[in-house]
Amino acid sequence: MPDDPQHSSTPPIALFPTAPATPVRIVLADDNPVVRAGLTALLSGRADITVVAEAADGREAYEAASRHRPDVILLDVRMPGVDGISALPYLVPIAPVLMLTYSGEPETVQEALRRGADGYLVHGEFTADQLVVAVRDTAQGRTHLTPTAAGALLLQLRDANAHADPHLPLPAQPIPLKGLSQLQPSMAQSSSSDRSRFQLSAREAEIMDLIASGMTNQQIAAACFISEKTVKNHINRIFAKLHSTSRSEAAAKWLGTAPSSGRGVG
């Protein structure tokens, strides 16, 4: 198949391949027609993405998704009739759902993820290019969370840990989120002993998980309620412990996808 010359202008993704061979087909659900029109124009302007249908509420989204069988569903939260949260259980069996909304309340984010959303983007916290990357990655089973959503998830995890039995060891990867387990197939299979050899602190392990999910230093800082300088200091220590010189190399080792070099990691 000849190369598409338009692909040459597609910005690269740091950790993963960029455009898939066939266009990513999108169903877009938002009750605001201006928002829908803007998003449709933005996404359809990419050679490897096409919006196959628009919807104004959860019911229309379900009908459109059932008819078109898209690769990704972009879903708002607050819509008249059937809202996005109510529609989620009906949509996730059809296609990965990426929440795209102004609603950043922790309870809303947590409920959306609990009901199977594969990612959560809050308007105002991402650029147009980042949205395009998130759409492509969602189609490939990788999760994107903007800082507000990531903060809500971490808040839920911290609350769960605070109420856990202190006599029981905490799991090495306490993230009960389908989308994150799809980041790499081997991620869910990585045992605590596999990661314990790196000797990362709890905070360093938390930051390494966020690096592996594709977050920038700014997003990690917002999610963990620390400064970007502190994030950089943690990353320097993480790189030293993982014997890595880049984010992609560290992520591959952390996820267990790096080829064996025969060198032990102390």
Side-chain angles (χ1 to χ4, degrees):
M1 179 182 295
D3 293 336
D4 186 340
Q6 296 184 58
H7 284 182
S8 61
S9 63
T10 304
I13 302 173
L15 297 182
F16 304 104
T18 51
T22 58
V24 178
R25 302 170 66 254
I26 307 296
V27 165
L28 171 61
D30 194 298
D31 65 311
N32 188 324
V34 175
V35 172
R36 288 201 311 272
L39 290 172
T40 297
L42 168 66
L43 295 172
S44 296
R46 307 289 174 138
D48 62 324
I49 298 176
T50 181
V51 177
V52 297
E54 298 180 14
D57 65 11
R59 183 180 300 280
E60 289 185 10
Y62 173 74
E63 292 172 351
S66 298
R67 183 166 60 254
H68 293 280
R69 296 288 164 174
D71 300 302
V72 177
I73 300 169
L74 296 182
L75 185 65
D76 190 16
V77 169
R78 292 192 172 92
M79 295 182 288
V82 179
D83 61 60
I85 299 297
S86 300
L88 266 170
Y90 302 94
L91 296 174
V92 294
I94 300 175
V97 177
L98 177 61
M99 306 304 295
L100 187 60
T101 178
Y102 286 98
S103 303
E105 302 82 1
E107 298 81 5
T108 302
V109 176
Q110 292 163 10
E111 185 64 14
L113 298 178
R114 188 185 71 80
R115 293 191 178 208
D118 289 84
Y120 200 109
L121 307 184
V122 178
H123 284 294
E125 297 184 347
F126 56 88
T127 65
D129 285 342
Q130 287 170 337
L131 172 60
V132 170
V133 170
V135 168
R136 292 172 180 153
D137 279 358
T138 300
Q140 297 298 315
R142 294 186 285 269
T143 291
H144 279 255
L145 303 172
T146 53
T148 294
L153 177 58
L154 291 175
L155 182 65
Q156 182 181 37
L157 296 177
R158 288 168 181 160
D159 184 65
N161 289 344
H163 291 87
D165 186 335
H167 300 293
L168 293 177
L170 292 177
Q173 180 67 14
I175 302 183
L177 178 59
K178 180 185 69 173
L180 289 183
S181 68
Q182 295 173 340
L183 183 65
Q184 290 288 345
S186 61
M187 187 173 183
Q189 301 168 6
S190 179
S191 67
S192 59
S193 60
D194 291 337
R195 291 183 169 184
S196 64
R197 75 185 190 278
F198 297 124
Q199 299 182 348
L200 267 58
S201 69
R203 174 61 97 180
E204 289 167 352
E206 179 181 52
I207 289 174
M208 191 59 240
D209 281 329
L210 298 179
I211 291 173
S213 74
M215 283 194 179
T216 64
N217 288 0
Q218 182 181 23
Q219 292 170 331
I220 293 171
C224 297
F225 306 103
I226 56 180
S227 68
E228 284 191 62
K229 183 177 184 300
T230 301
V231 171
K232 291 178 182 177
N233 291 337
H234 280 302
I235 290 176
N236 288 335
R237 288 192 290 270
I238 289 169
F239 282 7
K241 291 180 179 181
L242 270 64
H243 297 284
S244 300
T245 58
S246 68
R247 298 169 87 93
S248 58
E249 182 183 4
K253 290 182 178 180
W254 186 244
L255 299 174
T257 60
S260 175
S261 63
R263 181 182 65 182
V265 178

